Amino acid sequence: GAGVSQTPSNKVTEKGKYVELRCDPISGHTALYWYRQSLGQGPEFLIYFQGTGAADDSGLPNDRFFAVRPEGSVSTLKIQRTERGDSAVYLCASSLSGLAGGVVLNFGPGTRLLVL
Amino acid sequence: TQLLEQSPQFLSIQEGENLTVYCNSSSVFSSLQWYRQEPGEGPVLLVTVVTGGEVKKLKRLTFQFGDARKDSSLHITAAQTGDTGLYLCAGARDSNYQLIWGAGTKLIIKP
């Protein structure tokens, strides 16, 4: 079956612009996660969805970042007034369940965002 | 502050050699995962260890979770060029979705 897909694979934008990053999780996976990975670093947690609701958005760096998952499947990460420091690879992952018991994260290939 | 310290940060060895990568913390984790990430791809889960002292083998890869569940190691025997990649460890504490990630070990196996 298909894995997690993310679009676009690369996005170049100018400082101050608005961007949307899309994630298509594995079908049937109720849990969806957004991470950000900077060069030479491990992934940094941004937000976790269980179904349609954001169960934990404590990792969002500021109010310029927002994510939705209106139908409990596809999710969109939205970044307003982009800054050069937002440049990173944005990873999406999904899992069957976000509950305890050894969650298995299935990552997408990421969207490489470059803010000029 | 990096809660999970991985060492070495970078390792380049010849094919056929053995190597060990370490993941250390002062914190206790309920479980710890190892991932491998290739350029342009997301991390792929290799193994999850949950019990202190646990050892898991995956072909030439041996994973160990420390007795106190604060550290872990990944040992590769007879490394192959296909083992090249970024190896990441990630620990789970209160809730498994909120993983604490190390910065990774970049491994290059030369033919």
Side-chain angles (χ1 to χ4, degrees):
Chain A
V4 177
S5 62
Q6 292 185 246
T7 55
S9 53
N10 293 281
K11 177 70 177 178
V12 181
T13 190
E14 293 179 342
K15 180 175 178 295
K17 299 287 188 183
Y18 168 83
V19 297
E20 287 190 354
L21 312 179
R22 176 187 166 109
C23 172
D24 275 272
I26 293 174
S27 178
H29 281 193
T30 60
L32 185 145
Y33 318 76
W34 283 99
Y35 284 85
R36 177 168 70 175
Q37 187 175 26
S38 300
L39 196 63
Q41 298 295 320
E44 172 194 12
F45 171 79
L46 296 177
I47 187 169
Y48 156 58
F49 285 92
Q50 185 62 255
T52 60
D56 184 351
D57 63 358
S58 63
L60 295 177
N62 51 60
D63 61 6
R64 295 186 298 106
F65 289 74
F66 188 70
V68 295
R69 195 186 185 201
E71 297 178 1
S73 178
V74 170
S75 176
T76 304
L77 178 66
K78 309 180 181 193
I79 310 174
Q80 298 177 318
R81 304 183 304 280
T82 52
E83 298 177 358
R84 292 194 181 87
D86 299 335
S87 297
V89 176
Y90 288 81
L91 294 166
C92 176
S94 70
S95 66
L96 268 175
S97 167
L99 300 176
V103 65
V104 176
L105 294 180
N106 299 271
F107 281 91
T111 292
R112 278 141 205 84
L113 175 65
L114 177 61
V115 182
L116 300 176
Chain B
T1 303
Q2 192 75 40
L3 294 180
L4 264 179
E5 299 284 346
Q6 285 193 244
S7 61
Q9 290 181 307
F10 178 79
L11 184 60
S12 178
I13 62 172
Q14 293 294 137
E15 193 171 29
E17 293 184 7
N18 303 332
L19 67 107
T20 302
V21 173
Y22 299 92
C23 178
N24 295 303
S25 176
S26 57
S27 301
V28 176
F29 294 102
S30 57
S31 65
L32 194 136
Q33 298 179 330
W34 283 92
Y35 291 79
R36 179 164 161 257
Q37 184 176 21
E38 297 192 47
E41 300 294 327
V44 175
L45 180 66
L46 297 174
V47 77
T48 301
V49 286
V50 296
T51 306
E54 181 176 4
V55 177
K56 278 193 175 178
K57 287 199 167 190
L58 192 67
K59 297 184 181 178
R60 295 174 295 100
L61 277 59
T62 301
F63 304 85
Q64 185 161 9
F65 202 11
D67 291 341
R69 290 185 288 128
K70 293 182 180 180
D71 54 82
S72 182
S73 64
L74 157 60
H75 182 78
I76 301 180
T77 304
Q80 299 177 355
T81 55
D83 295 329
T84 292
L86 178 70
Y87 288 81
L88 294 156
C89 64
R93 291 200 290 189
D94 299 331
S95 54
N96 279 341
Y97 73 83
Q98 185 62 283
L99 295 174
I100 308 296
W101 292 82
T105 292
K106 187 171 183 180
L107 176 64
I108 295 178
I109 309 300
K110 297 178 286 188

